């Protein structure tokens, strides 16, 4: 394929080389599948980086984008906009109590950055505590909170007053100096490790006692992926702030910071801002995504399919453990095999899955629309390997 080879060399020549890539183009997608330049079909259990919540090019989402693009592509937050009004209403309705208002942004890092900024501004304190093994993004504050050395070490000077501690040391470290504790409740990139619930409850208790704020980074766990609209709702721990992105708009760049009423009272005109955050096209896409999640009962589907995958994968020889919740799952491969070998074997069978920082753990973040058919295809492919 001469044309494809030429285009590949163009991308390699002109894009800064910061990513390892699949060795083919993905220029087309539909539902749970994507297609390469030769028309080969791949089952997407990587979910376009945990983003394709409603699948690729869901007709309701595509229609909403086309309609909004023809009406108004962009106007900033200095004007009211009906797509924005509808999107924030739907988002807050689905998030439920205690979340009261949202600040709309363009990415996960930006959502975390604003959460951290707000925490420091509201408490008047500086210390931010986060967890070893967590990933929070690539901007300065979010990277300074990231507990995976491979990423965090890139900063030779992290933002001051950020402390990264092992999960079991966090609760006891919270003090009158602490502005916030930032938690990725299932550490996805870190190897799909769940922070134990008693640890989360203890941290919340300490935060409440010391006047520190609790922030859940639900950029991967949120928006229905773990079988609840928010993971915090599933585990019944309600932090003051929750950050969302990834699947919130089916792949259109968007994110949100949700805050409680108590917190919202402390935010005033001019405190936060973002030119593109909450743009009409992003909001129309977000609203359509949330409508699909609601109407097609994708919260329930994520939970059912997650349990089905867990059960069927766990019984395969060579799989030590399947961890995570809903459709945010990690398959731990028994040594001496590695997750990389499993990922390569799956790719040969035209199935995409993700790696993690743990060489034994392969990640699955498929679209929330998968059926038993796709789950069975995945399970059979793993068995064959
Ligand atoms: C848990 C978590 N937080 C934050 C981020 C950063 O999001 P973004 O890449 O949209 O800035 C990611 C991205 O992978 C993530 O998985």
């Amino acid at each position: 394929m001469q044309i494809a080879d030429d285009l590949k060399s163009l991308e390699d020549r002109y894009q800064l080389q910061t990513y390892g890539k699949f060795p083919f183009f993905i220029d087309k997608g539909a539902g749970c599948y994507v297609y390469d330049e030769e028309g080969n079909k791949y089952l997407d259990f990587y979910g376009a980086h945990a983003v394709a919540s409603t699948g690729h090019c869901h007709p309701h989402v595509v229609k909403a984008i086309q309609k909004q693009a023809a009406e108004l592509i962009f106007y900033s937050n200095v004007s009211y906009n009906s797509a924005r009004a509808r999107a924030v209403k739907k988002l807050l309705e689905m998030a439920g109590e205690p979340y009261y208002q949202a600040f709309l942004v363009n990415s996960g890092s930006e959502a975390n950055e604003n959460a951290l900024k707000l925490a420091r501004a509201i408490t008047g304190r500086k210390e931010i505590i986060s967890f070893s093994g967590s990933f929070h993004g690539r901007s300065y504050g979010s990277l300074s909170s990231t507990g995976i050395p491979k990423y965090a070490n890139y900063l030779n000077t992290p933002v001051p007053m950020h402390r990264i501690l092992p999960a079991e040391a966090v609760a006891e470290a919270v003090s009158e100096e602490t502005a916030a504790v930032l938690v990725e409740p299932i550490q996805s990139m870190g190897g799909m490790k769940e922070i134990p619930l008693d640890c989360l409850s203890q941290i919340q208790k300490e935060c409440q006692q010391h006047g520190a704020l609790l922030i859940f980074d639900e950029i991967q766990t949120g928006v229905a992926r773990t079988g609840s609209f928010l993971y915090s709702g599933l585990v019944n721990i309600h932090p003051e702030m929750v950050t969302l992105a990834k699947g919130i708009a089916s792949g259109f760049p968007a994110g949100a910071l949700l805050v409680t009423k108590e917190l919202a009272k402390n935010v005033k005109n001019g405190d936060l801002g973002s030119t593109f955050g909450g743009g009409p096209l992003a909001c129309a896409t977000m609203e359509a995504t949330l409508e699909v999640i609601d109407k097609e009962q994708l919260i329930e589907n994520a939970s059912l399919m997650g349990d089905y995958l867990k059960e069927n994968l766990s019984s395969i020889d060579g799989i030590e453990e399947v961890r995570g919740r809903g459709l945010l799952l990690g398959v731990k491969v028994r040594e001496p095999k590695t997750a990389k070998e499993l990922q390569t074997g799956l790719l040969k069978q035209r199935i995409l899955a993700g790696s993690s920082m743990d060489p034994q753990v392969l990640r699955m973040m498929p679209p929330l629309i998968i059926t038993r058919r796709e789950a069975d295809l995945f399970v059979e492919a793993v068995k064959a390997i």
Side-chain angles (χ1 to χ4, degrees):
M1 294 287 275
Q2 185 56 41
I3 297 174
D5 286 348
D6 289 352
L7 286 171
K8 250 180 224 164
S9 46
L10 277 190
E11 193 165 312
D12 287 341
R13 160 67 183 82
Y14 290 108
Q15 189 190 28
L16 206 55
Q17 298 293 295
T18 65
Y19 273 95
K21 295 182 183 183
F22 297 129
F24 44 81
F25 279 85
I26 297 178
D27 282 349
K28 188 173 172 302
C32 304
Y33 297 89
V34 290
Y35 298 83
D36 71 13
E37 65 270 27
E38 289 169 13
N40 297 310
K41 184 177 175 182
Y42 294 77
L43 175 60
D44 189 10
F45 261 53
Y46 187 52
H49 231 111
V51 164
S53 49
T54 59
H56 295 281
C57 302
H58 191 290
H60 184 67
V61 176
V62 171
K63 210 167 144 195
I65 293 174
Q66 286 169 334
K67 182 169 177 286
Q68 184 61 48
E71 277 168 12
L72 180 72
I73 292 178
F74 187 74
Y75 213 93
S76 73
N77 290 284
V78 300
S79 92
Y80 285 96
N81 174 265
S82 32
R84 187 183 307 122
R86 288 194 304 267
V88 279
K89 174 174 184 284
K90 184 81 184 161
L91 178 62
L92 268 305
E93 274 173 8
M94 289 184 78
E97 294 278 345
Y99 302 104
Y100 182 69
Q101 285 181 327
F103 179 65
L104 299 177
V105 292
N106 307 283
S107 70
S109 303
E110 198 186 349
N112 283 337
E113 208 67 38
N114 280 285
L116 296 173
K117 196 160 70 171
L118 211 54
R120 283 184 163 185
I122 288 174
T123 60
R125 304 172 182 179
K126 292 203 174 84
E127 183 183 76
I128 305 288
I129 303 178
S130 54
F131 291 58
S132 315
S134 64
F135 183 81
H136 296 294
R138 306 286 198 142
S139 53
Y140 234 101
S142 62
L143 196 50
S144 298
S145 316
T146 288
I148 298 177
K150 177 184 160 195
Y151 300 107
N153 290 348
Y154 190 72
L155 293 174
N156 65 18
T157 321
V159 174
M161 306 291 287
H162 276 250
R163 296 175 69 193
I164 296 171
L165 299 171
E168 59 281 7
V170 171
E172 137 182 32
V174 177
S175 73
E176 312 295 317
E177 310 280 300
T178 313
V181 176
L182 175 61
V183 190
E184 183 191 5
I186 300 178
Q187 295 182 335
S188 173
M189 182 74 95
M192 221 50 100
K193 286 193 199 136
E194 281 181 55
I195 306 294
L197 295 190
D198 55 346
C199 176
L200 291 176
S201 310
Q202 192 56 34
I203 290 167
Q204 184 175 46
K205 210 167 114 199
E206 294 296 329
C207 282
Q208 283 166 349
Q209 251 169 34
H210 292 93
L213 300 174
L214 184 61
I215 308 167
F216 269 19
D217 173 339
E218 294 225 35
I219 285 153
Q220 292 217 17
T221 57
V223 194
R225 181 156 292 281
T226 49
S228 167
F229 188 72
L230 299 178
Y231 180 75
S232 46
L234 190 70
V235 297
N236 210 17
I237 290 175
H238 304 287
E240 282 83 12
M241 290 190 254
V242 170
T243 55
L244 301 171
K246 297 277 190 202
I248 198 168
S250 300
F252 196 93
L257 164 62
L258 306 184
V259 302
T260 58
K261 194 169 192 174
E262 250 335 275
L263 226 66
K265 277 192 225 151
N266 292 290
V267 183
K268 51 183 195 318
N269 202 341
D271 281 354
L272 306 176
S274 170
T275 298
F276 289 116
L281 207 41
C283 285
T285 320
M286 190 191 303
E287 187 198 11
T289 299
L290 298 174
E291 282 169 351
V292 171
I293 290 174
D294 203 2
K295 284 196 187 123
E296 296 187 12
Q297 303 187 337
L298 298 186
I299 295 178
E300 294 77 0
N301 194 55
S303 175
L304 277 174
M305 287 299 114
D307 288 349
Y308 184 73
L309 278 163
K310 248 189 181 172
E311 193 186 318
N312 286 281
L313 288 167
S314 306
S315 59
I316 298 175
D317 249 10
I319 303 252
E320 194 175 308
E321 186 191 358
V322 184
R323 54 198 192 202
R325 300 280 187 112
L327 291 174
L328 186 63
L329 294 173
V331 175
K332 187 162 188 203
V333 176
R334 210 184 294 282
E335 291 186 48
K337 289 260 185 215
T338 61
K340 183 83 202 150
E341 286 172 85
L342 180 57
Q343 189 186 27
T344 308
L346 287 167
L347 192 59
K348 280 191 191 137
Q349 298 182 64
R350 303 219 168 101
I351 297 178
L352 308 180
S355 56
S356 75
M357 293 313 296
D358 183 335
Q360 296 312 119
V361 177
L362 180 96
R363 288 189 300 158
M364 297 182 273
M365 311 92 108
L368 308 178
I369 57 168
I370 59 162
T371 64
R372 281 175 79 139
R373 189 182 130 70
E374 283 79 32
D376 289 341
L377 281 173
F378 188 85
V379 171
E380 288 311 313
V382 175
K383 272 189 198 159
I385 296 161

